[in-house]
């Protein structure tokens, strides 16, 4: 085996590892409820499926421009304006094979050896691994359940140093479901003005899944004077149940978009042409189905939160968005040793979750409540039995 130094700096995703293990156990005949992956169980909207079929029938099966079709970039511009309040030109947008690829290309295109990236923790599993692969250094900004996994602008500024290049924001967040308030974003903007070298990657993929009742707040909308230092990530995977279509969109300064597309030209080339047609229909078509989906996610959230908080040794705050609960299991660590052992114990009892340590946390686990109510109720019964 001859592995590159860059690859040796990263580990495989524990989210996908746990999901793969759950699939393997199912294939062996075990009854496993997987709450490890963030994938809506709803069917992709019919108008999106129709657009994909129409593209196939029309023979749209050839290469497109590396950074996406003009039709999809225009549709994405509509989405950024309507749903995130960000006015951008199609030339300021790039399309990738999922939001993850857009993040990967943005960081690889900009990070030099030793550059620092501040990431609030708990974090999405791929953020630190991408930074390390690029040769950068991860600077954790630790948040805690008792504070709703929130941080202040002062907390952020304390982590910024002379080598800081990026700050990563994710709201609503994976794995915590925490939403960054407009007030906090105003404070972050003040910090950025004092540190002109620092850029912000704002991952807003879960923006449509917000339970606060208020509008989604994002930095590029609130402070357009900083837009030349902000890359906003979005897509259709979570909002339109299109995970398998692999389409992400990113909006930011043209120099960064061009750099990302240069890198993409040597990795995947263009995203799937059929998926691009479907994504354009997703952005341009009816959005009213999201009202029902959001309320169903809210009901599932309430079911899981109530069940977890009724179990001795487990607790979770109420997430304001996305479809995850970050469960604190610190009182159980004397029995299990660490959260990885606890996650394996729950898997043996028929429930797949992901340990908090995979997200830069500790002594707990993440539950995805993007599953139907019957499965969630049964999963919670199994968890209660497993930890009793």
């Amino acid at each position: 085996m001859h592995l590159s130094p860059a690859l040796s700096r990263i580990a495989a995703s524990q989210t996908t590892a746990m999901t793969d293990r759950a699939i393997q156990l199912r294939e062996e005949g075990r009854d496993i409820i997987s709450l490890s992956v963030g994938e809506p169980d709803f069917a992709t909207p019919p108008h999106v499926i129709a657009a994909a079929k129409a593209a196939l029938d029309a023979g749209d099966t050839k290469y497109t421009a590396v950074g996406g079709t003009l039709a999809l970039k225009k549709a994405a511009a509509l989405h950024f304006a309507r749903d995130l309040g960000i006015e951008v030109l199609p030339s300021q947008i790039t399309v990738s094979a999922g939001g993850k690829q857009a993040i990967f290309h943005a960081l690889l295109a900009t990070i030099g050896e030793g550059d620092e990236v501040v990431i609030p923790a708990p974090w999405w599993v791929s953020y630190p691994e991408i930074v390390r692969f690029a040769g950068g250094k991860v600077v954790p900004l630790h948040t805690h359940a008792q504070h709703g996994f929130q941080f202040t602008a002062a907390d952020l500024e304390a982590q910024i140093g002379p080598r800081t290049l990026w700050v990563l924001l994710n709201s609503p967040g994976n794995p915590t479901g925490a939403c960054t308030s407009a007030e906090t974003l105003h404070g972050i903007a003040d910090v950025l003005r004092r540190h002109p070298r620092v850029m912000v990657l704002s991952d807003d993929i879960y923006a449509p899944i917000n339970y606060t009742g208020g509008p989604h707040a994002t930095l590029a909308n609130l402070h357009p004077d900083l837009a030349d230092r902000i890359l906003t990530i979005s897509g259709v995977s979570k909002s339109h149940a299109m995970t398998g279509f692999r389409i992400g969109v990113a909006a930011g300064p043209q120099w960064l978009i061009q750099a990302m597309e240069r890198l993409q030209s040597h990795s995947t080339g263009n995203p799937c042409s059929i998926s691009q047609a479907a994504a354009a229909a997703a952005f341009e078509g009816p959005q009213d189905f999201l009202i029902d989906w959001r309320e169903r996610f809210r009901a599932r959230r309430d079911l899981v939160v109530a069940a977890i908080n009724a179990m001795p040794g487990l607790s979770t705050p109420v997430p304001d968005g996305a479809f995850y609960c970050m469960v604190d299991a610190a009182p159980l660590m004397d029995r299990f040793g660490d959260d990885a052992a606890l996650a394996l114990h729950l898997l043996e009892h028929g429930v797949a979750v992901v340990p908090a340590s995979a997200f830069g946390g500790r002594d707990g686990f993440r539950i995805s409540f993007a599953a139907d109510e019957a499965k969630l109720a049964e999963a919670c019964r199994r968890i209660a039995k497993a930890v009793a």
Side-chain angles (χ1 to χ4, degrees):
M1 293 176 64
H2 298 281
L3 301 179
S4 75
L7 189 64
S8 69
R9 291 194 291 262
I10 68 171
S13 166
Q14 289 192 52
T15 303
T16 54
M18 186 62 77
T19 302
D20 290 348
R21 178 61 177 150
I23 292 171
Q24 179 185 357
L25 289 174
R26 282 203 204 99
E27 291 173 346
E28 295 172 1
R30 296 282 301 277
D31 177 19
I32 304 294
I33 299 174
S34 180
L35 305 182
S36 59
V37 66
E39 182 174 55
D41 65 323
F42 304 133
T44 305
H47 67 278
V48 175
I49 299 297
K53 291 178 178 178
L56 283 167
D57 291 339
D60 292 339
T61 57
K62 308 298 183 183
Y63 291 131
T64 74
V66 166
T69 63
L70 181 59
L72 178 50
K73 288 190 175 188
K74 288 181 176 179
L78 169 67
H79 157 66
F80 279 113
R82 177 190 64 214
D83 303 322
L84 300 179
I86 303 170
E87 298 290 341
V88 288
L89 299 171
S91 60
Q92 295 173 277
I93 295 172
T94 189
V95 185
S96 55
K100 183 183 294 189
Q101 187 185 41
I103 297 168
F104 196 95
H105 285 165
L107 297 181
L108 243 63
T110 54
I111 291 176
E113 196 73 29
D115 284 334
E116 295 180 353
V117 180
V118 179
I119 314 177
W123 48 49
W124 178 52
V125 292
S126 292
Y127 291 148
E129 305 300 343
I130 296 171
V131 171
R132 294 179 185 122
F133 185 83
K137 177 184 176 183
V138 175
V139 179
L141 174 54
H142 292 289
T143 65
H144 305 282
Q146 62 266 35
H147 300 134
F149 296 109
Q150 300 291 338
F151 63 90
T152 67
D155 295 331
L156 170 62
E157 190 159 25
Q159 302 303 102
I160 292 177
R163 293 300 304 273
T164 304
L165 183 64
W166 283 98
V167 172
L168 268 56
L169 303 178
N170 179 207
S171 174
N174 175 7
T176 66
C179 292
T180 306
S181 69
E183 180 182 2
T184 298
L185 291 172
H186 291 317
I188 290 172
D190 291 337
V191 170
L192 291 173
R193 293 187 182 99
R194 292 192 288 272
H195 299 275
R197 181 175 185 265
V198 178
M199 298 183 292
V200 171
L201 192 153
S202 181
D203 185 351
D204 293 57
I205 193 75
Y206 293 98
I209 309 170
N210 185 318
Y211 315 116
T212 63
H216 174 71
T218 194
L219 193 62
N221 164 251
L222 294 174
H223 295 277
D225 61 302
L226 298 172
D228 61 346
R229 296 160 58 189
I230 302 170
L231 181 72
T232 304
I233 306 293
S234 190
V236 290
S237 292
K238 313 300 182 178
S239 58
H240 290 72
M242 294 174 64
T243 51
F245 284 80
R246 307 311 307 134
I247 292 292
V249 293
Q254 287 190 14
W255 68 266
L256 179 56
I257 296 300
Q258 291 169 359
M260 293 165 64
E261 292 185 352
R262 188 195 317 174
L263 189 55
Q264 186 161 302
S265 73
H266 295 293
S267 56
T268 58
N270 66 271
C272 170
S273 58
I274 306 304
S275 295
Q276 290 188 68
F283 286 140
E284 294 176 341
Q287 309 293 312
D288 53 343
F289 66 90
L290 281 168
I291 299 172
D292 176 62
W293 285 16
R294 198 159 38 236
E295 288 310 305
R296 292 180 66 183
F297 278 136
R298 185 199 302 271
R300 296 171 178 186
R301 177 200 68 175
D302 294 345
L303 183 159
V304 171
V305 168
I308 291 295
N309 286 331
M311 299 178 197
L314 299 182
S315 63
T316 179
V318 180
D320 285 329
F323 34 69
Y324 307 104
C325 288
M326 181 56 86
V327 179
D328 177 35
L332 301 181
M333 289 303 102
D334 286 344
R335 286 173 54 196
F336 293 100
D338 59 33
D339 53 22
L342 173 57
L344 289 174
H345 177 73
L346 295 179
L347 187 60
E348 289 303 313
H349 282 74
V351 182
V353 298
V354 185
S357 51
F359 306 99
R362 57 179 296 174
D363 300 344
F365 55 90
R366 188 196 74 174
I367 285 177
S368 167
F369 52 84
D372 69 62
E373 288 82 347
K375 286 184 179 179
L376 290 171
E378 175 59 23
C380 288
R381 283 192 289 270
R382 295 181 185 184
I383 293 171
K385 183 178 179 180
V387 302

